[in-house]
Amino acid sequence: MSVQIQLIEERVPSEVELIERAKQGDKSAFKQIYLLHHKRVYGLCFRLSGQIELAEEATQDTFVRLWQKLPQFKGDSQFSTWLHRLTVNQALTSIKKHKSFWARFLPLSDVTELGQAPLEYELLDKLLLKLPERARIVFVLFEAEGYKHDEIANLLGIANGTSKAQLHRAKKLLQEML
C-alpha cells in the first residue's frame, strides 16, 4: 500500500489583500507589509538623515504613521509611491525635531555596516554623511529619488532656486571628496 502525501500550498496574499486586511486592523497583515517595505523605508530615511539612530527613529515613526493613515489609502496610486511620500515627509519631520545641526554628522569611521545586507550604494552613503544637511537632502531627493526642484522646494519650504543651488553645492562637494 502506498502512502500518498498531500502537499498543501499555502497561498501568499497579494499586497492589495494585505493592505485591505491591515486597514481592518489585522496586525499580522500589517507585519507582512512592514516586512515587504522596511528595508526600502530605512534606506531612504538613512540617506535623508545621515545618521543611523535618526534613520531608525524615522523608520519606526513612518510605520506608526502608516498604521494610522492606512485607512486613507484609496489605491489611486501604487502603494509603494504612497508609502514613499509618507516616508519622505516623516523623515523630514524627524530631522526637524533634532535641533543640533552638527550632531547629525558622523565621522566616516563611525559608520558601521547596517544589518547583514549593506545598503546598495554604501560608498555614496558614506560620502553623503559628510555633506551639509540641506545639500544632502536635496541631493538624495533629486538624484536618488527622482523629485523635481519644485517638489523639493515645496517639501522643504525653500525657493526653487535654492534647491538648485543646494544640488549644485552637493555635487561640487562630492566631486571634491572623490
Side-chain angles (χ1 to χ4, degrees):
M1 183 175 356
S2 69
V3 177
Q4 291 183 334
I5 299 176
Q6 198 174 38
L7 296 176
I8 300 174
E9 280 191 41
E10 187 176 316
R11 188 173 92 60
V12 178
S14 71
E15 185 176 61
V16 173
E17 292 172 316
L18 291 173
I19 292 166
E20 288 307 314
R21 286 179 29 207
K23 281 181 176 183
Q24 303 303 317
D26 184 334
K27 291 178 183 171
S28 67
F30 187 79
K31 180 180 179 181
Q32 290 179 330
I33 292 170
Y34 169 82
L35 293 173
L36 286 171
H37 295 282
H38 79 280
K39 287 181 182 178
R40 194 170 329 127
V41 168
Y42 175 82
L44 179 56
C45 290
F46 179 73
R47 286 185 182 94
L48 289 170
S49 69
Q51 220 183 51
I52 292 171
E53 295 82 11
L54 193 51
E56 289 171 349
E57 178 183 326
T59 299
Q60 181 178 348
D61 291 347
T62 296
F63 282 99
V64 168
R65 193 87 169 125
L66 176 62
W67 177 256
Q68 295 167 343
K69 287 193 162 267
L70 197 56
Q72 296 175 17
F73 177 67
K74 303 298 180 207
D76 297 334
S77 63
Q78 286 190 4
F79 180 73
S80 60
T81 303
W82 187 77
L83 177 58
H84 183 276
R85 176 66 76 175
L86 183 74
T87 302
V88 168
N89 289 335
Q90 191 59 53
L92 294 175
T93 298
S94 294
I95 291 167
K96 287 176 187 174
K97 279 195 308 190
H98 290 78
K99 298 288 182 196
S100 173
F101 178 81
W102 293 106
R104 286 191 285 278
F105 297 98
L106 296 174
L108 201 53
S109 61
D110 287 354
V111 179
T112 57
E113 194 168 294
L114 307 171
Q116 294 182 7
L119 293 175
E120 189 174 328
Y121 302 107
E122 187 175 331
L123 176 60
L124 178 59
D125 284 341
K126 287 179 182 179
L127 294 176
L128 288 175
L129 292 174
K130 294 178 138 186
L131 291 176
E133 176 186 50
R134 179 75 50 94
R136 180 183 61 246
I137 290 171
V138 170
F139 181 85
V140 169
L141 290 175
F142 187 86
E143 293 293 343
E145 301 300 328
Y147 281 69
K148 294 181 175 125
H149 285 293
D150 58 332
E151 294 172 314
I152 295 168
N154 187 39
L155 275 171
L156 299 178
I158 59 176
N160 199 338
T162 303
S163 176
K164 291 176 183 177
Q166 290 296 326
L167 177 63
H168 177 74
R169 180 180 184 207
K171 286 181 177 181
K172 183 179 176 190
L173 289 170
L174 287 171
Q175 284 176 338
E176 290 172 6
M177 287 183 225
L178 294 172

